[in-house]
Amino acid sequence: MNYRKWMLGLLIVVLCLPIGSEWARAAAVKITLELDGEALTSDVPPYITASNVTMVPINVISQGLGAVVQWNQSSKTVTITKDDTVLKLTSGMKSAFVNNVSVALDTSVQIKQGRVMVPIRFVSEQLGLQVVWNQAAKHISLYSGAEPPQAADPVVPDVPTVPTVPLPTAPPVVPQPSTPPLPSVPGGSTGKEMKGVWISTVFNLDYPTTSSAGNVSKQKQEFDALLDKLKAVGFNAVFVQVRPSADSLYASKLVPWSKVLTGTQGKDPGYDPLEYMVSAAHSRDMELHAWFNPFRVTTDDKAATLASLASNNVAKAHPDWIVKAGGKLYLNPGIPEARQHIIDTVMEVVRGYEVDGVHLDDYFYPSNVSFADDAAYKAYNAKAIATKENWRRDNINEFVRQLGVQIRSAKPSVSYGISPFGVWRNIKMDSTGSDTAAGVTAYDSMYADVRTWIKEDWIDYVAPQIYWSLSFSAARYDKLVDWWVKEVEGTNVKLYIGLAAYKVGASDQSAEWQSAEQMINQLKYNEKYEKVAGSIMFRAGDIVTRNPFGLASQLTFYFHS
């Protein structure tokens, strides 16, 4: 009799297992979240659906992300509003509305045990946040800036990697194609002038490794090995982040040494990394462009971070130039002296090193955060510009123009370009904008008037970060390439396209990124236009270290076809 009761109880337990299985997985595997380095709390555990989408309760959106969330029980629809972006997701529907534009979804609203759950990546990206999923740690990092994700790499997939390439003592070995089978790529790709790749130094992402801190010979060996692998793939230019956060990977009289070199900001690494990197690149017949984050001072504003800043850090030397926004410190673009300070640091590199170019990313004004510059608007508005928005755009315009004038005056051979956010303006906001429904735009969110920079020929090239797939309806890759091609017509400004190598094979990305084919198809689409003078891929480690689905080998095949 007791045996029968035990078996009946076991049967009930087994029958109940499928119910709430996603919740069971959430309990077994704890998923954590953070926004700009600060932990986000969740009243119930996030979970991952069968289609590989991470779901979170709506309190994470309302309390953590500061959006207004409304739930309509009768229609089973959640409405999320933040600034000018309105999202509507309905339970059971495979599409959502973003500012009244229908956008496809892998997973919409789900109701589990009375809780309303929404897809965190979709909602966050539509609100202008960057999302990074750390597979090993089961951790989601959200970033309020528009810069590409700057966090730990996803776990390395079990796929072929780039074969080991000898150091400069022997000729580079070109990797051979690996499985899966390579797509058939027509010839013509070799005519593209720029085959560039970004090398991130912030957080020691691509270079140097944290284990090489203070070790001169190891850092040189790491850079040599990285260049060898990149050259073997077919890249002919590297864009190295030499100013990650108001600091330097070069000998500067104005800003401190970067902490990525030694672990301590302001500590002399014992050599000049940029001098070595330029020489190493040129010895391999590769260009080296110095990449600057112009206005970012810190990646967070924690007390420990601020205490660790070097004494000559601009935040300590000129605190009146600093604005705290979104958990970071920024130089205020509205203060002319602050803008000139950045120009002076860039010109140290132009005059002191044989770099092939000066490259700025899209960190101008931070997007979707409050930026306290009322006092600067009143004090530095000599042109009597009527709105703060237009005044901010004028500040960035002056910075871009003045830097270009100084570069061309000092060394005309140095290429000067900028990599803005991939959407200038949505067509809803401007009839001449792109056919997109992005939650963030360069013009409205970062006050980057890229069109003016192009039309006035203030820059030599523009490299928009078009980090979306050919099927992402809110901001389709092909539509954006078409739009940028028209923007550079009739000007002397070259067009390079920024590509999202970091998304390939990432476990939190949708199906179209789960092969290398998306990248190859985007490159093939670029061939449609003579105006597309090449591409720059973000970022090096995702190609030759993580190397999902043999991406490096497939790029090699494409570049050498």
Side-chain angles (χ1 to χ4, degrees):
M1 186 68 177
N2 290 336
Y3 176 76
R4 290 176 182 172
K5 289 182 178 179
W6 182 85
M7 288 297 293
L8 179 60
L10 178 61
L11 179 60
I12 292 173
V13 170
V14 171
L15 290 174
C16 288
L17 279 177
I19 301 175
S21 59
E22 286 161 329
W23 290 85
R25 287 199 300 272
V29 180
K30 184 178 180 182
I31 299 172
T32 54
L33 306 96
E34 68 174 36
L35 172 63
D36 291 327
E38 297 294 329
L40 295 179
T41 58
S42 172
D43 57 352
V44 296
Y47 62 86
I48 301 175
T49 68
S51 57
N52 210 29
V53 175
T54 302
M55 307 294 289
V56 301
I58 56 176
N59 81 296
V60 169
I61 308 302
S62 60
Q63 299 172 19
L65 305 189
V68 176
V69 178
Q70 296 175 310
W71 170 248
N72 187 315
Q73 179 63 27
S74 61
S75 65
K76 299 294 189 295
T77 298
V78 61
T79 301
I80 300 169
T81 305
K82 185 173 174 61
D83 299 324
D84 296 327
T85 302
V86 179
L87 315 178
K88 290 188 177 182
L89 298 87
T90 301
S91 178
M93 298 291 291
K94 286 303 182 86
S95 61
F97 284 94
V98 180
N99 293 335
N100 295 320
V101 177
S102 180
V103 177
L105 286 175
D106 290 325
T107 303
S108 187
V109 173
Q110 295 187 354
I111 304 172
K112 298 294 182 182
Q113 297 183 2
R115 301 287 190 175
V116 179
M117 312 292 289
V118 295
I120 184 63
R121 171 173 286 280
F122 175 82
V123 171
S124 297
E125 289 189 343
Q126 294 301 327
L127 296 181
L129 301 172
Q130 291 289 338
V131 184
V132 176
W133 166 250
N134 187 319
Q135 172 69 16
K138 299 296 186 291
H139 182 72
I140 297 172
S141 298
L142 307 176
Y143 297 90
S144 59
E147 186 181 67
Q150 301 290 337
D153 287 337
V155 67
V156 178
D158 185 18
V159 296
T161 57
V162 177
T164 301
V165 181
L167 290 174
T169 53
V173 177
V174 177
Q176 295 302 310
S178 59
T179 56
L182 297 171
S184 176
V185 182
S189 62
T190 54
K192 296 302 181 185
E193 177 184 341
M194 172 60 68
K195 300 170 189 174
V197 60
W198 279 290
I199 296 179
S200 292
T201 60
V202 68
F203 302 125
N204 299 91
L205 286 177
D206 293 324
Y207 172 81
T209 64
T210 54
S211 63
S212 71
N215 188 326
V216 175
S217 61
K218 186 173 182 181
Q219 288 183 3
K220 290 180 177 180
Q221 289 170 4
E222 286 179 354
F223 194 73
D224 286 337
L226 181 58
L227 285 190
D228 285 336
K229 290 178 181 179
L230 293 171
K231 183 174 176 62
V233 170
F235 292 104
N236 59 20
V238 290
F239 293 72
V240 182
Q241 193 174 31
V242 300
R243 177 189 167 90
S245 301
D247 52 10
S248 69
L249 275 79
Y250 56 91
S252 172
K253 296 179 180 179
L254 301 173
V255 297
W257 285 108
S258 176
K259 70 176 182 179
V260 304
L261 297 167
T262 63
T264 302
Q265 189 178 84
K267 184 177 180 180
D268 191 331
Y271 76 119
D272 190 327
L274 181 55
E275 181 179 59
Y276 183 82
M277 290 189 287
V278 169
S279 176
H282 289 174
S283 70
R284 291 164 175 79
D285 197 27
M286 300 175 77
E287 294 183 3
L288 188 141
H289 296 247
W291 161 22
F292 295 81
N293 290 83
F295 292 97
R296 184 176 66 194
V297 176
T298 66
T299 54
D300 63 62
D301 60 359
K302 296 177 182 177
T305 299
L306 301 181
S308 68
L309 296 179
S311 60
N312 63 331
N313 185 288
V314 68
K316 292 185 176 180
H318 296 281
D320 53 316
W321 294 355
I322 304 300
V323 174
K324 176 181 175 181
K328 301 180 181 70
L329 300 186
Y330 296 87
L331 279 162
N332 189 342
I335 299 177
E337 293 87 350
R339 298 197 301 266
Q340 187 59 49
H341 167 77
I342 300 171
I343 291 173
D344 291 342
T345 63
V346 174
M347 293 309 297
E348 281 189 310
V349 170
V350 173
R351 295 190 178 100
Y353 300 85
E354 293 305 313
V355 296
D356 298 283
V358 165
H359 179 82
L360 306 181
D361 60 20
D362 59 353
Y363 254 50
F364 300 107
Y365 283 91
S367 61
N368 286 347
V369 297
S370 176
F371 196 84
D373 57 354
D374 286 347
Y377 177 44
K378 293 177 182 177
Y380 300 103
N381 190 10
K383 298 179 184 178
I385 297 173
T387 68
K388 189 196 289 187
E389 290 75 17
N390 285 334
W391 172 76
R392 286 177 174 177
R393 279 184 277 271
D394 185 68
N395 293 332
I396 301 303
N397 282 351
E398 282 299 297
F399 170 74
V400 170
R401 183 187 64 81
Q402 290 172 8
L403 178 56
V405 167
Q406 292 205 30
I407 291 172
R408 287 167 177 170
S409 174
K411 198 176 289 185
S413 62
V414 170
S415 177
Y416 171 43
I418 299 178
S419 180
F421 188 72
V423 177
W424 175 70
R425 296 195 90 186
N426 294 317
I427 196 169
K428 180 180 178 181
M429 297 296 294
D430 188 316
S431 62
T432 66
S434 53
D435 183 14
T436 52
V440 171
T441 65
Y443 185 90
D444 298 292
S445 305
M446 299 157 210
Y447 305 97
D449 186 7
V450 187
R451 171 172 285 173
T452 294
W453 311 342
I454 293 172
K455 299 306 180 187
E456 297 294 332
D457 283 325
W458 289 345
I459 55 179
D460 297 314
Y461 70 86
V462 63
Q465 299 170 24
I466 308 182
Y467 288 168
W468 305 283
S469 71
L470 285 153
S471 57
F472 183 61
S473 57
R476 249 174 53 186
Y477 178 88
D478 53 343
K479 287 185 176 182
L480 283 164
V481 171
D482 297 348
W483 187 89
W484 284 101
V485 165
K486 291 180 181 177
E487 281 297 292
V488 300
E489 285 180 353
T491 75
N492 295 318
V493 177
K494 291 183 179 180
L495 174 63
Y496 306 139
I497 304 298
L499 301 176
Y502 74 92
K503 286 188 174 182
V504 177
S507 60
D508 59 339
Q509 291 294 331
S510 50
E512 64 264 35
W513 292 103
Q514 301 309 315
S515 77
E517 188 175 0
Q518 180 68 216
M519 291 289 289
I520 300 302
N521 286 342
Q522 290 185 2
L523 288 168
K524 289 166 66 176
Y525 188 83
N526 293 351
E527 294 181 18
K528 177 180 176 181
Y529 293 108
E530 184 179 350
K531 282 289 184 182
V532 178
S535 61
I536 311 173
M537 298 187 185
F538 187 84
R539 56 184 175 81
D542 287 295
I543 298 168
V544 297
T545 302
R546 190 168 60 89
N547 188 26
F549 306 109
L551 174 61
S553 295
Q554 297 207 42
L555 289 173
T556 300
F557 181 76
Y558 176 84
F559 285 147
H560 292 280
S561 295

